[in-house]
Amino acid sequence: MNNIIKKSIYISLLGLFAFFTSCEERQEELTELMTDRVFSATGVEARIVNKTQVVLSWTKNREAESYTLEVFENDSLTFVGTPVMTIEGITNSDIPYTIATGLVGETQYSARIKTISKNEKEDSKWKGIYFKTAAEQILQEVDAATVTSSTAVIKWVAGEIATHAVATNGVNEVRQDVTAQNIAAGEMTIAGLTEDTRYTVRLMKDDKVRGSGSFETMIDLTAAGTIVVATGEDLLTAIQGAPSGARIVINPTNAGDAFLTGGVTIELDKAISIRGYQQSKMPVVHAMFRATGPNASLFVRSVQLNGLSEAVYRDHLVQLTVSDIETGPFIFKDCIITNYNKSILAGASGIVTAVKEFRIENCKVSNILTNSADCIDVRAGVVEKLNLINSTFYNCAPARDFIRLDDASAGFTGKTSVVNVDRCTFSAVSNNSSKRILYIRYGGSTTPLNSTTFNNNVIANTAGYYTNQPATVFTKSKNNYFNAPGFTVNETVNAQVDVAGNYTQLDPGFVDEANGNLTITNQTLLDNAVGANIKW
């Protein structure tokens, strides 16, 4: 009986061995399976580079003689119609394969790959993948020399196809078709533009953006309300005789031509703008401004304002002189402001004046000496909006407070003071351990009626600090401090320091700080949009 059982077990084991051996042999046969067609591409991937180029990769097939690639536009793996490109003869050594030209930005494409057999087998079936290109940029920066008061020349890579261009100023839009001649030359002139207006321009191929840029049209010197003053002419008389709302345009023969060389005080009781005709040919004006009436407002652009003439300093850039009125705005854009004895905005004790707005934008400010004053110094008035935007300040308030707004809220029911300092660069400002960048007390410490936002700025080379005033209500973010220790650690009673946790302490790499050139060369700060980046 035992022998019978043993034989049965032996026979069973022998059968199992034969079964597994047979399976293994069949498995080996499957791996060597012969087919009539080469396998389709596997592991297909697409990666966009340089906005409108695509790198296609797939697993190399040793049975491939070559590969054929077809690309379809505005497609999602339907492959309907005619491909916009067909590429043959791609070999294994070409993988990954880059399509470097011929694709349009902001467009979805489908690509399919066929493996071409190098033996008797049939070619593979198609294998597809889709991808979308990014918005491209074939438009060149607009040359200001090719812009007039009503036209602008835009240029792109010659031969690149476009259908039309669109220029918009945020209100109105100008559309112009692109001709075959434009495409061959890679340029066109857009006409019908409004003078003294900033435009955004887009070069289009149907509904796709092929490039974008911006430009600003010139002033029309013949426009209504425009008074032109050339080198050698009397600027002061032109300003005094101009009606409210007039635009004074200074058109110098050369950059740096001086006006009001003796230094004058211009009294403002009306709204007026003073413009340099070209940013590249800024005139120099030796003057200060005094607000003497309720309608006083001022817009100055592309002018060098120099308070020093004949060895004498003007005291203020703008001085408030009359109580119980509302003035402003006072706006300075794309200007150089230098050499004032006291302040860039001053309102003494007893001058109960409301200023709608005071703004410094895209300006280079230096040598505001603050003798017996602070740089922005309003004692009995209120500045409803104070905006310092993308500007540099060098040697301003060298040993005084930079912004001083006292609590005069009792005289201005319902009014608040809002301060915004964004992407500015300060060096040698309030350079004294007891002096503050922000000395703002409007509304008082119990119920402050002020708020300050201080973001993306560079503070360098100063012994000063932010503030010690409980009434100063402000937030800060993404600022950089270099050789300015008092802004991150300070033992002064009630001193406010930067605890935002996102500040840096990098060397800005100023081009020429000793001469007031605070152009930043530190690439990290530039990439992070910290500190002023003035383009002119």
Side-chain angles (χ1 to χ4, degrees), residues 249-499:
V249 179
I250 306 173
N251 188 13
T253 304
N254 301 297
D257 282 359
F259 293 76
L260 310 180
T261 54
V264 300
T265 297
I266 299 172
E267 297 194 350
L268 294 174
D269 58 357
K270 57 192 172 186
I272 199 166
S273 68
I274 302 173
R275 304 284 301 277
Y277 181 55
Q278 292 177 284
Q279 187 68 34
S280 59
K281 290 172 61 176
M282 282 197 290
V284 178
V285 176
H286 296 278
M288 65 173 280
F289 302 93
R290 299 177 72 227
T292 60
N295 298 315
S297 71
L298 178 67
F299 176 64
V300 183
R301 186 174 184 189
S302 303
V303 173
Q304 295 187 47
L305 294 159
N306 193 330
L308 178 62
S309 60
E310 299 178 353
V312 176
Y313 285 91
R314 302 287 102 188
D315 276 341
H316 311 283
L317 176 63
V318 176
Q319 183 182 20
L320 309 176
T321 62
V322 179
S323 289
D324 302 320
I325 62 171
E326 191 169 274
T327 65
F330 303 103
I331 297 173
F332 300 85
K333 185 176 182 181
D334 301 329
C335 292
I336 293 173
I337 301 169
T338 190
N339 297 330
Y340 286 88
N341 185 48
K342 294 181 180 293
S343 308
I344 57 176
L345 175 64
S349 301
I351 305 299
V352 185
T353 301
V355 178
K356 296 173 186 175
E357 182 184 9
F358 183 81
R359 185 187 340 155
I360 302 287
E361 181 177 356
N362 252 36
C363 292
K364 299 175 182 179
V365 186
S366 63
N367 299 329
I368 311 301
L369 304 181
T370 55
N371 287 314
S372 302
D374 298 300
C375 191
I376 295 172
D377 191 350
V378 179
R379 306 289 178 96
V382 58
V383 182
E384 296 181 59
K385 293 181 181 178
L386 172 58
N387 290 302
L388 307 180
I389 310 295
N390 194 51
S391 296
T392 63
F393 298 87
Y394 172 71
N395 193 39
C396 298
R400 295 282 299 218
D401 296 318
F402 181 70
I403 298 176
R404 177 173 179 171
L405 303 177
D406 281 352
D407 181 16
S409 57
F412 302 98
T413 303
K415 291 190 180 297
T416 60
S417 183
V418 178
V419 179
N420 180 38
V421 184
D422 186 52
R423 206 171 180 188
C424 290
T425 300
F426 303 89
S427 185
V429 170
S430 299
N431 189 16
N432 183 297
S433 61
S434 66
K435 297 305 176 182
R436 300 147 292 203
I437 293 283
L438 306 174
Y439 182 37
I440 302 173
R441 301 185 293 173
Y442 186 80
S445 58
T446 303
T447 55
L449 297 173
N450 68 85
S451 64
T452 298
T453 303
F454 196 93
N455 294 341
N456 310 305
N457 302 299
V458 169
I459 298 177
N461 306 313
T462 176
Y465 66 108
Y466 271 123
T467 189
N468 63 347
Q469 295 298 303
T472 302
V473 180
F474 78 111
T475 60
K476 46 198 170 299
S477 180
K478 287 181 61 181
N479 296 299
N480 183 83
Y481 311 101
F482 177 71
N483 192 26
F487 292 84
T488 54
V489 178
N490 200 300
E491 299 299 324
T492 302
V493 175
N494 294 326
Q496 297 190 45
V497 297
D498 194 335
V499 293

Side-chain angles (χ1 to χ4, degrees), residues 191-231:
L193 304 173
T194 303
E195 63 104 25
D196 195 25
T197 301
R198 187 157 193 84
Y199 283 91
T200 298
V201 62
R202 291 172 293 147
L203 184 67
M204 308 293 293
K205 180 179 179 292
D206 299 321
D207 61 344
K208 305 296 189 304
V209 179
R210 298 218 63 193
S212 61
S214 63
F215 60 87
E216 191 163 349
T217 52
M218 297 288 290
I219 294 171
D220 181 357
L221 297 179
T222 65
T226 299
I227 301 170
V228 181
V229 179
T231 298

